[in-house]
Amino acid sequence: MQRLGQWITDNPIAIVALALILTLISFHFAQAVEMQGMNTESMVGKESSLYQIYDHLYKENFGTESIAVMIEGDDVAGEKVLKASLRFSDFVKDVPRVTSVTSIADIVADTEAETEGVRQIPSQERIDEILADGGSQVQGLMPDRRHTMMSIEDPVYITDKQRSEILAETKEAVNLADFPPGYTVTVTGSPALMKSITDEMSASQGQIMILAAVLMVFALLLVFRHVKWPLLPIPVVFLGIIWTFGAMGLFKIPMTMVSFSAFPLLIGIGIDYAIQFHNRIDEEFAKGESPVKAAINTVNHVAIPVMVALVVTIAGFVALLNSSVPMIRDFGKLCIIGLVMCYLSALFVGVTVLWLGEKRTGSRRKKALSQSGDGLDSGSVIGSYVERIADFCIHKWKAVLAVALIFALTGNYLDNLVPVETDTKNYIPQDLPPLVDFKHMSNIYGGTDSIQFIVQGDDITDPENLQWMDDFSNYLIKSRDQVYGATSLVTYIKQANNGMLPDDRTEIRQIIDSLPANVRSKYLSGHNMAMIDVNLGQTASNLGLQNFDRLTKEFEKDLAWVTPPPDISVKMTGNNMVSTATIGALTTGRVEMSLLGLVLIFFLLLLIYRGDLIKALLPVLPMLVVIGWMGGVMYLGGLKYTPLTATLGALVLGIGSEYAILMMERFYEELHNVGDPFEALKITANRIGSALVASGMTVVCGFAALMTSPFNITSNFGLVTVMAVVFALATTFTVFVVLMLRMEVRREVLDNAGDELRKALRVLRGGNGAK
């Protein structure tokens, strides 16, 4: 690394120029970063059978998104209200990519067109007559005379931008329709909710990043003020963040609620790299070294240990790439890329700025040369405190290890009792107006949870197949309390045929041809595929993950009981199944991800340290303690696992192992210099303690900013991470130093014993030879 240090000091202009070019390129590609909500593509891998069924069978053939327009007032079936509703409907139908509009106004106008030849809203008496004969379709749209809903359908495959345009046109149509005074018209539904979530994410992202920077300034001025230019790590790490944004656009990594939370993490870990280089070069300046020599020594002593910490941290996040959930894999990719970018920024830009600045002023070197003795600083005040803590733990090592083990085992047990947050609507601000409107609509109409059964066969319109669909739907409604209704093509065929299902295929097809196009496209694809839409109300939200999973298994038993005809296959799918399966994969797989991370880190360290078992084990063992502690804290704090907190194990491994490795590398460097483990630990704690505390404080401040996020999933992640960092730092200065010293002392004892044994054997061999 000495040659690299020499190259950095020989080429400052080239380094600055390359950094500037990379920054400009990053700004260009950052514009291509897409905001992505909690959609199917972010939650389910495209290679999974769940995605194949949902995307290729359901979405491509039947999938639509519905914008709901809810009208409330004294009499929503009044003549003036229906005329305004019809004006609204006719306007929206002309909006590009809108496939259909369903409302009681359309039902009344279409019925009037069939009987009178004119599509219009008739007299109040005739309106009441038509609605009275409307059956379940009218009842589904108008549960009472004070509430009604209009449903605007668009293809599920259109882009978010196109759907936003439809949403904007819908809101404009409300104004143009001129509803009577005293009536409330609310545009709601999933598209409106997702649009609001995306807007809120964009608005809060910049505020949180600014707050994180302000808090980190405070942290560095508080605990890193013993060095020259203590705030320099902030612009250095933000340079790495800019490069990371560019990489996101280049590699098409979307911005989600999960990936957004990676940036405070990158700032926290990345700033540690800048702090380590900064702290060491300041030490070299304090010795009286020239700026060039100080930079070379810093790169020589720090670049490798920090690189080892980087590689090990990456190994912790590599475990996330094994997740079946795309947004977690994207989170892992983003962390890996971002850490590399922050390391490069700290190594090349940070060191270059520091030695050039010292060369210009020379203040630290002049101060060092004017001091008596060898010019070495005695360390910072914080370093002294860390030294005292380490010394106390060494003397009370049995009690320290016992307490740590008891808490870890208790925490691991309590971790199994931590619940899982399965309702994705609880991840977002509860006072978000579209969410309030969505919940209000759900309370009136009984919720929107559903499961879809995709029915495939040679000819779905065969009377036998349609009869089975009818029998199965009726069985579900009668046998399952959670089922509020089941709608399929059969529902509309029976409505058009006086409640009877014809037993003649030709008659059936004639009725199907007479049905509205939006009904046919929603429930039938060609003649070989149909859908049964089962309404579950708010069942998925109320039951929770495990119970909803049990319900789907009960549906599978129902399919086995009400057996389809021989040529018919049936598959279950839908948004609720996707969400439940995703959250289940996240939360049940978190232990496997943590164990995989631990194994990867152990074998990687074993390879890096050439089979040195002690050095490979040392950074791993304390992290097991921290993971256990965090499980207990989450349970006692009443927290729940979410897609973000499910990555906690990898997060602890990434942050905690870095602190441990940097501490261990400095310990062995000082041990090589002084020879005594106790003295080496004392110097290490004093010299590197302040840098690690500064790093930990900046991570805490970065994630403390996340705690102010309006999104519950993000704020809880910030809280959990703050606690994890505090525990990781505390473990490094307590449990880790005890293990490191005790294992090293034991190794020296064994090595000395081995030396004595070898000497004795040589003596014995010499004696035998003499005889």
Side-chain angles (χ1 to χ4, degrees):
M1 279 295 160
Q2 191 160 353
R3 296 170 73 180
L4 177 61
Q6 187 67 56
W7 185 88
I8 290 174
T9 56
D10 289 342
N11 299 278
I13 296 176
I15 290 172
V16 173
L18 286 172
L20 181 60
I21 293 170
L22 187 57
T23 303
L24 293 175
I25 294 173
S26 297
F27 276 120
H28 170 73
F29 281 105
Q31 298 176 33
V33 177
E34 294 184 1
M35 300 292 293
Q36 190 179 83
M38 300 282 281
N39 56 23
T40 313
E41 284 73 18
S42 68
M43 300 174 73
V44 183
K46 292 184 178 181
E47 70 284 353
S48 68
S49 60
L50 180 65
Y51 182 88
Q52 298 294 324
I53 294 172
Y54 180 80
D55 188 71
H56 298 310
L57 291 183
Y58 173 61
K59 280 177 62 175
E60 289 184 5
N61 294 284
F62 307 105
T64 59
E65 285 279 4
S66 297
I67 297 174
V69 179
M70 192 164 59
I71 305 169
E72 299 174 277
D74 292 334
D75 186 5
V76 294
E79 182 180 346
K80 290 183 179 180
V81 178
L82 290 190
K83 286 182 177 178
S85 300
L86 190 62
R87 287 193 295 270
F88 171 84
S89 176
D90 291 341
F91 181 89
V92 174
K93 285 176 183 176
D94 292 333
V95 174
R97 289 174 287 275
V98 170
T99 56
S100 66
V101 178
T102 306
S103 68
I104 59 171
D106 286 287
I107 293 172
V108 170
D110 291 342
T111 304
E112 189 70 3
E114 291 176 7
T115 57
E116 302 297 329
V118 181
R119 190 175 185 275
Q120 63 180 4
I121 301 298
S123 65
Q124 189 65 54
E125 183 179 353
R126 176 62 177 152
I127 290 171
D128 294 340
E129 181 183 334
I130 294 172
L131 294 179
D133 296 334
S136 60
Q137 187 179 14
V138 171
Q139 188 176 1
L141 293 171
M142 188 180 69
D144 55 61
R145 299 285 290 208
R146 293 185 57 81
H147 303 89
T148 188
M149 181 176 66
M150 306 178 72
S151 178
I152 302 166
E153 305 269 336
D154 59 67
V156 74
Y157 54 78
I158 66 175
T159 65
D160 290 339
K161 181 180 179 182
Q162 291 170 334
R163 186 161 289 116
S164 296
E165 292 171 354
I166 295 174
L167 193 61
E169 293 280 5
T170 300
K171 293 178 179 178
E172 179 64 23
V174 172
N175 298 325
L176 295 175
D178 192 23
F179 283 89
Y183 286 84
T184 303
V185 183
T186 306
V187 179
T188 183
S190 294
L193 183 58
M194 293 308 298
K195 175 69 167 55
S196 181
I197 290 172
T198 303
D199 292 344
E200 187 70 20
M201 281 175 59
S202 300
S204 63
Q205 179 178 340
Q207 298 171 3
I208 290 174
M209 296 288 278
I210 291 172
L211 179 60
V214 171
L215 290 176
M216 285 190 295
V217 167
F218 170 77
L220 289 174
L221 289 177
L222 182 67
V223 298
F224 202 51
R225 61 188 179 198
H226 63 282
V227 303
K228 183 181 179 182
W229 300 344
L231 299 182
L232 181 63
I234 293 178
V236 170
V237 75
F238 270 94
L239 185 63
I241 295 299
I242 291 172
W243 297 348
T244 305
F245 267 111
M248 281 185 74
L250 179 63
F251 297 113
K252 301 187 185 306
I253 301 175
M255 180 69 77
T256 65
M257 278 192 286
V258 174
S259 60
F260 167 67
S261 300
F263 285 99
L265 171 67
L266 293 175
I267 292 171
I269 298 179
I271 207 168
D272 183 43
Y273 302 154
I275 287 173
Q276 294 304 323
F277 283 107
H278 196 148
N279 189 67
R280 185 56 182 256
I281 202 170
D282 193 76
E283 280 187 32
E284 298 296 330
F285 292 151
K287 294 176 184 177
E289 299 286 1
S290 68
V292 171
K293 182 66 174 176
I296 294 173
N297 289 345
T298 297
V299 173
N300 189 39
H301 288 98
V302 178
I304 291 294
V306 174
M307 185 184 292
V308 171
L310 167 68
V311 171
V312 171
T313 303
I314 286 175
F317 289 115
V318 163
L320 298 181
L321 302 183
N322 193 49
S323 172
S324 61
V325 183
M327 61 182 173
I328 296 300
R329 293 201 296 266
D330 288 340
F331 178 80
K333 291 175 190 174
L334 190 57
C335 288
I336 291 169
I337 293 171
L339 290 174
V340 172
M341 295 299 178
C342 290
Y343 176 79
L344 294 176
S345 177
L347 173 59
F348 291 100
V349 179
V351 171
T352 299
V353 170
L354 283 166
W355 82 261
L356 284 177
E358 181 64 18
K359 181 181 179 182
R360 186 180 182 120
T361 62
S363 57
R364 283 290 279 167
R365 186 166 184 257
K366 290 174 185 175
K367 179 181 177 182
L369 293 175
S370 66
Q371 291 175 344
S372 59
D374 59 5
L376 286 171
D377 287 343
S378 61
S380 67
V381 174
I382 293 175
S384 300
Y385 281 117
V386 173
E387 180 186 338
R388 291 176 196 170
I389 291 171
D391 186 61
F392 174 82
C393 292
I394 291 301
H395 286 89
K396 305 288 184 181
W397 67 273
K398 291 182 180 179
V400 169
L401 294 182
V403 171
L405 182 61
I406 292 170
F407 281 172
L409 293 175
T410 304
N412 276 305
Y413 170 76
L414 295 176
D415 181 68
N416 297 316
L417 305 179
V418 177
V420 177
E421 182 56 81
T422 58
D423 189 353
T424 55
K425 292 189 216 39
N426 289 336
Y427 297 163
I428 62 180
Q430 297 302 293
D431 58 351
L432 201 65
L435 180 60
V436 174
D437 295 336
F438 191 88
K439 288 183 175 181
H440 178 55
M441 181 185 70
S442 298
N443 291 334
I444 295 171
Y445 287 91
T448 58
D449 295 340
S450 63
I451 278 184
Q452 285 71 40
F453 289 86
I454 306 300
V455 184
Q456 292 176 284
D458 293 334
D459 185 5
I460 295 297
T461 62
D462 185 285
E464 182 185 0
N465 296 334
L466 292 177
Q467 186 61 56
W468 175 84
M469 290 172 64
D470 192 35
D471 293 342
F472 182 66
S473 299
N474 291 330
Y475 178 82
L476 290 179
I477 294 170
K478 291 176 182 178
S479 64
R480 299 293 173 195
D481 294 336
Q482 299 88 352
V483 175
Y484 293 89
T487 307
S488 67
L489 185 68
V490 177
T491 307
Y492 292 93
I493 293 174
K494 290 172 71 175
Q495 283 181 4
N497 196 47
N498 299 318
M500 300 294 294
L501 183 63
D503 54 8
D504 178 70
R505 184 180 307 183
T506 303
E507 184 180 355
I508 287 173
R509 291 201 174 184
Q510 288 176 349
I511 295 174
I512 291 173
D513 291 339
S514 69
L515 294 175
N518 63 309
V519 172
R520 293 198 305 271
S521 63
K522 187 171 184 178
Y523 296 100
L524 183 67
S525 177
H527 284 157
N528 61 355
M529 192 181 303
M531 179 188 71
I532 303 173
D533 190 8
V534 178
N535 179 15
L536 301 176
Q538 300 184 34
T539 298
S541 305
N542 295 334
L543 284 181
L545 175 66
Q546 292 181 338
N547 290 328
F548 186 80
D549 187 55
R550 291 193 190 102
L551 178 61
T552 59
K553 287 181 170 58
E554 291 299 316
F555 284 151
E556 291 174 356
K557 293 179 182 177
D558 293 336
L559 278 172
W561 180 255
V562 186
T563 310
D567 62 334
I568 293 294
S569 67
V570 184
K571 294 181 175 66
M572 280 190 298
T573 186
N575 285 320
N576 289 111
M577 283 198 65
V578 169
S579 300
T580 304
T582 300
I583 295 171
L586 283 170
T587 52
T588 56
R590 69 181 187 274
V591 175
E592 288 79 0
M593 285 191 292
S594 299
L595 289 176
L596 177 60
L598 281 168
V599 171
L600 283 174
I601 289 173
F602 171 72
F603 282 106
L604 190 60
L605 288 174
L606 203 60
L607 181 65
I608 291 171
Y609 292 120
R610 301 177 183 179
D612 191 325
L613 194 61
I614 290 179
K615 287 186 177 180
L617 274 174
L618 273 175
V620 172
L621 293 178
M623 296 311 103
L624 288 171
V625 174
V626 176
I627 291 172
W629 290 0
M630 287 306 304
V633 169
M634 287 194 68
Y635 175 79
L636 296 175
L639 299 172
K640 296 182 179 180
Y641 276 115
T642 67
L644 270 178
T645 51
T647 65
L648 183 61
L651 187 69
V652 169
L653 292 175
I655 297 176
S657 60
E658 180 196 2
Y659 296 154
I661 288 169
L662 292 173
M663 189 90 169
M664 181 177 72
E665 286 282 350
R666 188 60 184 264
F667 169 74
Y668 281 106
E669 180 187 338
E670 298 300 338
L671 182 62
H672 176 75
N673 293 332
V674 299
D676 178 37
F678 290 92
E679 185 63 23
L681 181 61
K682 187 176 179 181
I683 297 172
T684 298
N686 191 293
R687 293 283 173 80
I688 202 173
S690 60
L692 291 180
V693 171
S695 172
M697 284 291 291
T698 52
V699 178
V700 166
C701 289
F703 280 97
L706 275 186
M707 293 166 60
T708 67
S709 171
F711 291 89
N712 296 337
I713 184 175
T714 305
S715 59
N716 286 344
F717 179 63
L719 174 62
V720 169
T721 308
V722 165
M723 292 188 295
V725 172
V726 171
F727 286 157
L729 207 56
T731 305
T732 301
F733 296 145
T734 55
V735 178
F736 177 74
V737 296
V738 168
L739 290 172
M740 183 168 62
L741 188 69
R742 299 306 306 177
M743 292 174 79
E744 187 57 36
V745 168
R746 179 56 59 91
R747 173 156 56 184
E748 287 193 0
V749 169
L750 292 175
D751 287 347
N752 291 335
D755 291 341
E756 292 297 327
L757 181 60
R758 282 189 288 274
K759 288 180 182 178
L761 288 173
R762 282 197 296 269
V763 170
L764 288 174
R765 289 196 193 101
N768 291 332
K771 290 179 182 179

